[in-house]
Amino acid sequence: MEPFTIILAFFLVTVSGTLTWWLTTVDTSLRSLREDSRIDRLSLANDVDWLRSTVDELHSGVRALLHANPNLASIIETHRALDNIEASLAGDLLTADPDDAATTLLAAVRDLLSTVEVDGDLDTTRSELDLGTLRLADRLQEVFIEVGLRPSDLGLSDLEARRLGELAYRNGHRAWALACYEEAARIAPGEKTTLRALEHLASEAGDDEARQSWLEAQLKRDPDNPELLRSHANLLVRVGDAGAERSVLRLEALGVDTPADRSLLSGLRERAGARSEALEALDRALEEDPDNSGYWLRKATLHFEMEEESKAINAVDKCLSFDRQNGEAWALHARLLSTDSRQLASALKSAVHAVALVAGGTELILLKADLLAATGKEVDAYESLEKSLNQNPSNDTLRAAMARMALQKGEIDEAETLLRTAPTPPTMSLHLQLEWGRLHLAFADLKRDGTGDTDRALLTVAADNFRQALEVDRESGIAWLGMARVQRLMKELELSGESLNRSRRLMEDDPAIDAEAALLALDLGDLSEAQRLVESSSVSDPDNPVITYIKGNIASAHARYEEAREFYTDTLLKHPTHVRARLNRAAVNMALNEPQDALDDCRHLLCEAPELHLAVVRQSEALMMLAQWSKAKEGWDKVLDFNPNHSHALMQLAACHMALERHELAETPLNDALRIDPTNAAAWHQRGLLYLEWAREEAALADFEKAAKADEKHLESRLHIAAIHHEARRWHEGRTAWREALSIDAENTVARRRFEECDMKIIAEEALKNA
């Protein structure tokens, strides 16, 4: 055979054998799969039979459960309805139709509410509800809120609305609960349970107005209900409504008033100013309950307010005999005894008890410190205040009072430390803002240099503090008084008057207002009004150092310098750190030609306040009066280092250079002074004198004329103008200049004589011309 034929035959045999083997293998596999499928079908049939049997059993159990608990059907329907509506809200439109879901939900809600065993009364003992019902109700409220449904949209009866409201209340949905009860009240306005629940919700929300409205609605239906009358009276007392007395009197008329009710009536009459009737009501209450310490304390308080101190002491002693731990009684006892210098030790013991019992507030803490100081225990007094502040660092009232005490003693650094360490932000506390304002006023007193710009920059900070205090409490009379003081010092006199009027309306009888008004009247030049106001203030507060300070200012304005000095001295005896009184006394001493005394005051001020540049100004002026030109020059240099634009210092520095015969150094500070203030007549005059020294008569004459233009009453400039023309034999110009000088000072003999000389020279010249 040929090789090709052999190969082909071998290939065919191989393929045939392989195909036979594959067919056999496939057949075997198919048989095996068929058997497995049969077995699986048999197993699945068995499982389906078991599942059908189990479902039948469950169905039978559920039917039995629903037969025993019909309310479960409504819960199940509600769950289904919620699932459908949630699917609709999620956008699964294949799962639920929105209209059908909403209809089903509302029906399910009504079915659910019909099975809930509550009536919506929030004041009675509540029945227990199973957790599933509460969770279902919570889901309901979440869905209602999401879809924007209100109770009025559900078409419920008043009972259903109340039940839904109680479920919402128990789940913490208070706003929805309130809406449900309001819907119930709309449907049945006089239903007691609804009104009681609405009052309960208003009480929890702290809405006194709404609570009063619902209480009065209940009283319309049940006007003689003692509990309602009592609640109504106590509510009206808290909101300050005078109608509270009517409810208490109705209790009294019904014969169901208790000692507590009579005590409340006493308090109402006390508030209304009928203290005698209040005492009578208290006495009747004490007849029934003589051991009630609270009634004795109220009786003591009434006697105290009526200034019947002995009766007040007897009543408070009675109170303490029943209750030794009554802090408010100890506080009142301390106040009563503190007015008697012979009882200070006993008052101190009472104050110690009150503070230990945390009674009387900050007032008692301060009173205790005052009593310690009055009994010679100044160190203990300060330690007592520190201890109280350490125990309660957030007591802004105490901290502010301590800062004010430090300021009054001149301890400015201590006051600043107290204020800076306050945990409360100043913007949140009226008391802290007021003390910051006072502190910055004190800083301004210690750093003033007498120029408007510098003083304004220092005072603006204090103004900000008082302004922020007014943002906290717009009706703070002290804040308005502080603002008035700042505005007066900043020369905003009209605004100061307006602020002062607002302060007076809020603190009508405060002597500090008359004192500040007197200072404002002084700045306005109304000396008689200032005198009237300071006398009025001194009647109420004769020992206030501010009074003698103002009287000194008035005497100084009248040029009664000896009297003014006495007033300033009296002020400094009462208040040694009063900066303005010492500055003014220095000025008065210079007016009395006693520069050494002025110098002593200035040195004292600079020891206390080295940055008080106004004291340096006064000191330098006193040194110039004593002809101590070099030391005076050093002072003016110091002022100018702080404020290079201090025009008065520049002028005086030039005067020192001229006195020290350093004329070449005098022109520059005078030029600077005139650049700062071109209307400064004194500077023009002084530079004119300098030019006269240099024999520059034309330049001197020009400066004297500018001085006279800046100040028409500047006599020295007029005299120098006239003298220059006179020396230059310009008789007509000289005659005019002398006449202008005489218009200012008609008794000036030099001007009169030279004027007559000019007349004679002019007549002589005209005679020569005519000859």
Side-chain angles (χ1 to χ4, degrees):
M1 295 179 68
E2 294 181 1
F4 175 77
T5 304
I6 296 171
I7 292 170
L8 180 60
F10 178 76
F11 175 75
L12 291 172
V13 171
T14 302
V15 169
S16 176
T18 302
L19 182 60
T20 301
W21 174 83
W22 179 78
L23 289 173
T24 303
T25 303
V26 168
D27 181 65
T28 303
S29 297
L30 288 173
R31 290 175 182 275
S32 176
L33 286 172
R34 193 162 38 248
E35 182 63 23
D36 290 341
S37 297
R38 188 185 66 78
I39 294 171
D40 289 340
R41 284 196 301 274
L42 182 61
S43 175
L44 183 61
N46 291 334
D47 289 343
V48 169
D49 289 340
W50 176 84
L51 184 60
R52 184 181 296 111
S53 175
T54 302
V55 169
D56 288 341
E57 290 178 5
L58 289 173
H59 181 67
S60 176
V62 168
R63 287 173 63 85
L65 186 63
L66 289 174
H67 183 73
N69 298 278
N71 60 316
L72 290 179
S74 61
I75 293 175
I76 293 170
E77 288 301 319
T78 304
H79 271 294
R80 289 175 179 170
L82 282 172
D83 289 340
N84 289 336
I85 202 72
E86 285 170 349
S88 176
L89 291 172
D92 189 359
L93 299 180
L94 295 176
T95 304
D97 179 81
D99 292 336
D100 290 343
T103 302
T104 305
L105 176 64
L106 293 178
V109 167
R110 302 196 73 163
D111 288 342
L112 174 65
L113 292 175
S114 66
T115 62
V116 177
E117 296 180 358
V118 296
D119 64 355
D121 193 343
L122 302 181
D123 282 339
T124 58
T125 303
R126 299 172 196 158
S127 60
E128 292 294 328
L129 290 176
D130 64 89
L131 187 59
T133 300
L134 288 175
R135 287 181 176 174
L136 180 61
D138 188 51
R139 284 181 66 195
L140 274 174
Q141 268 104 41
E142 295 290 347
V143 169
F144 288 153
I145 292 170
E146 187 170 357
V147 300
L149 281 174
R150 302 292 296 164
S152 56
D153 301 325
L154 302 179
L156 304 177
S157 67
D158 65 302
L159 176 59
E160 290 171 334
R162 285 202 308 277
R163 286 176 172 176
L164 187 58
E166 183 170 348
L167 290 174
Y169 177 81
R170 294 197 189 193
N171 282 315
H173 296 283
R174 291 179 181 271
W176 233 86
L178 177 61
C180 288
Y181 283 109
E182 287 176 343
E183 173 63 12
R186 185 189 66 79
I187 298 168
E191 213 289 323
K192 292 183 180 180
T193 305
T194 303
L195 297 175
R196 193 159 52 244
L198 284 166
E199 183 219 333
H200 182 95
L201 290 170
S203 177
E204 287 190 347
D207 188 345
D208 289 338
E209 184 177 352
R211 188 184 175 205
Q212 180 180 345
S213 172
W214 297 122
L215 270 172
E216 289 172 355
Q218 293 178 75
L219 283 169
K220 284 182 181 179
R221 294 189 55 82
D222 191 2
D224 294 333
N225 186 309
E227 292 305 317
L228 288 177
L229 288 169
R230 217 165 264 123
S231 297
H232 188 246
N234 282 286
L235 175 63
L236 293 186
V237 167
R238 187 166 66 250
V239 300
D241 192 318
E245 187 173 353
R246 289 195 297 272
S247 294
V248 181
L249 289 175
R250 191 182 298 174
L251 286 169
E252 187 177 14
L254 291 169
V256 294
D257 59 323
T258 65
D261 296 328
R262 287 188 283 277
S263 176
L264 178 62
L265 180 61
S266 169
L268 290 170
R269 287 172 174 170
E270 176 188 344
R271 290 186 186 186
R275 293 192 176 95
S276 298
E277 294 180 15
L279 279 171
E280 290 176 6
L282 267 178
D283 288 337
R284 289 197 301 272
L286 284 167
E287 287 176 4
E288 294 187 24
D289 188 4
D291 297 339
N292 190 310
S293 60
Y295 297 167
W296 284 110
L297 177 58
R298 183 168 293 176
K299 180 179 174 65
T301 303
L302 281 171
H303 285 304
F304 175 66
E305 291 174 353
M306 296 169 69
E307 299 182 358
E308 298 173 348
E309 294 186 0
S310 60
K311 292 181 179 180
I313 291 173
N314 291 335
V316 79
D317 284 339
K318 196 75 173 176
C319 171
L320 290 170
S321 69
F322 293 114
D323 183 5
R324 300 290 293 177
Q325 300 304 310
N326 191 321
E328 293 302 327
W330 285 114
L332 179 58
H333 199 251
R335 293 189 191 99
L336 287 164
L337 297 182
S338 64
T339 59
D340 187 348
S341 59
R342 297 168 298 178
Q343 297 285 340
L344 293 183
S346 299
L348 177 57
K349 291 179 182 178
S350 297
V352 170
H353 280 300
V355 173
L357 293 168
V358 196
T362 304
E363 179 190 352
L364 254 292
I365 295 172
L366 295 171
L367 177 60
K368 175 187 171 183
D370 290 341
L371 290 169
L372 283 168
T375 54
K377 300 176 182 178
E378 288 83 0
V379 175
D380 291 345
Y382 189 76
E383 290 176 353
S384 170
L385 291 174
E386 277 193 325
K387 180 181 177 181
S388 296
L389 188 61
N390 289 334
Q391 289 173 344
N392 186 9
S394 60
N395 187 335
D396 298 333
T397 306
L398 176 58
R399 186 180 295 274
M402 291 177 67
R404 184 162 58 254
M405 292 163 63
L407 280 175
Q408 289 169 350
K409 292 188 291 186
E411 298 172 355
I412 293 181
D413 292 340
E414 173 67 16
E416 184 178 14
T417 301
L418 280 166
L419 294 175
R420 286 198 182 281
T421 54
T424 306
T427 52
M428 302 295 292
S429 170
L430 170 67
H431 301 290
L432 293 181
Q433 282 291 1
L434 290 174
E435 296 315 312
W436 272 114
R438 290 188 174 109
L439 180 67
H440 286 125
L441 278 175
F443 280 144
D445 272 347
L446 295 179
K447 296 183 179 181
R448 290 164 53 204
D449 68 352
T451 64
D453 292 341
T454 303
D455 292 353
R456 178 173 288 273
L458 294 166
L459 292 167
T460 297
V461 184
D464 290 341
N465 292 129
F466 290 121
R467 194 173 294 112
Q468 289 168 4
L470 289 169
E471 290 177 4
V472 177
D473 182 4
R474 197 69 181 167
E475 303 306 311
S476 170
I478 297 176
W480 282 113
L481 180 60
M483 182 62 74
R485 184 167 302 166
V486 171
Q487 290 165 339
R488 174 178 59 80
L489 293 172
M490 295 172 75
K491 305 303 180 186
E492 297 172 352
L493 303 185
E494 185 175 350
L495 289 176
S496 177
E498 293 174 2
S499 298
L500 201 56
N501 288 335
R502 296 194 68 161
S503 177
R504 190 183 296 280
R505 286 194 291 271
L506 295 166
M507 302 189 306
E508 186 174 354
D509 298 325
D510 197 313
I513 297 176
D514 280 340
E516 182 60 34
L519 289 168
L520 178 60
L522 270 175
D523 286 356
L524 291 169
D526 191 344
L527 300 183
S528 61
E529 177 66 5
Q531 185 70 47
R532 184 191 69 80
L533 288 165
V534 77
E535 293 299 337
S536 172
S537 180
S538 63
V539 171
S540 303
D541 194 6
D543 296 326
N544 191 336
V546 175
I547 302 300
T548 49
Y549 166 73
I550 298 172
K551 288 182 177 180
N553 288 353
I554 294 172
S556 180
H558 284 294
R560 301 195 301 265
Y561 298 121
E562 290 281 0
E563 182 184 347
R565 182 167 61 179
E566 290 178 6
F567 280 127
Y568 293 137
T569 301
D570 190 13
T571 301
L572 291 168
L573 288 173
K574 296 174 182 176
H575 187 0
T577 60
H578 199 297
V579 174
R580 285 162 292 157
R582 198 172 292 277
L583 277 171
N584 289 3
R585 190 171 72 171
V588 165
N589 279 325
M590 285 190 285
L592 292 169
N593 199 28
E594 295 181 6
Q596 187 58 52
D597 290 341
L599 197 60
D600 292 340
D601 274 335
C602 292
R603 286 170 177 165
H604 183 280
L605 282 169
L606 290 171
C607 287
E608 298 292 329
E611 295 184 2
L612 181 55
H613 298 285
L614 194 52
V616 180
V617 170
R618 295 282 185 270
Q619 177 180 255
S620 300
E621 290 172 342
L623 289 169
M624 290 176 69
M625 291 182 69
L626 293 168
Q628 297 181 25
W629 305 107
S630 296
K631 290 184 178 180
K633 174 187 169 300
E634 292 174 4
W636 296 121
D637 284 335
K638 183 177 180 181
V639 173
L640 290 167
D641 286 341
F642 173 74
N643 181 8
N645 294 325
H646 199 298
S647 59
H648 179 68
L650 288 166
M651 286 172 49
Q652 299 302 86
L653 178 63
C656 290
H657 283 312
M658 293 172 68
L660 292 168
E661 298 185 357
R662 299 172 184 168
H663 299 91
E664 69 282 359
L665 299 177
E667 185 177 15
T668 299
L670 287 171
N671 290 341
D672 289 339
L674 290 168
R675 174 182 52 78
I676 295 165
D677 183 8
T679 63
N680 190 330
W684 286 115
H685 175 256
Q686 193 168 341
R687 196 174 73 169
L689 294 176
L690 177 63
Y691 288 154
L692 280 182
E693 286 287 335
W694 292 343
R696 294 170 55 185
E697 289 189 358
E698 290 185 6
L701 179 60
D703 279 357
F704 291 140
E705 288 174 344
K706 289 177 181 177
K709 183 179 180 180
D711 180 4
E712 295 180 354
K713 301 296 184 181
H714 200 283
L715 179 61
E716 294 299 321
S717 295
R718 299 285 184 187
L719 292 173
H720 278 102
I721 292 169
I724 290 173
H725 286 307
H726 200 100
E727 292 298 324
R729 305 176 72 82
R730 295 190 287 270
W731 309 117
H732 288 278
E733 291 84 346
R735 181 174 181 274
T736 301
W738 290 120
R739 184 189 295 113
E740 290 173 346
L742 287 168
S743 69
I744 300 172
D745 181 10
E747 304 300 323
N748 192 301
T749 55
V750 174
R752 178 68 61 187
R753 186 173 65 252
R754 293 296 182 89
F755 176 75
E756 292 171 355
E757 286 182 15
C758 287
D759 267 346
M760 293 174 61
K761 295 293 184 181
I762 291 170
I763 292 170
E765 285 182 353
E766 289 179 352
L768 287 173
K769 286 180 182 178
N770 293 332

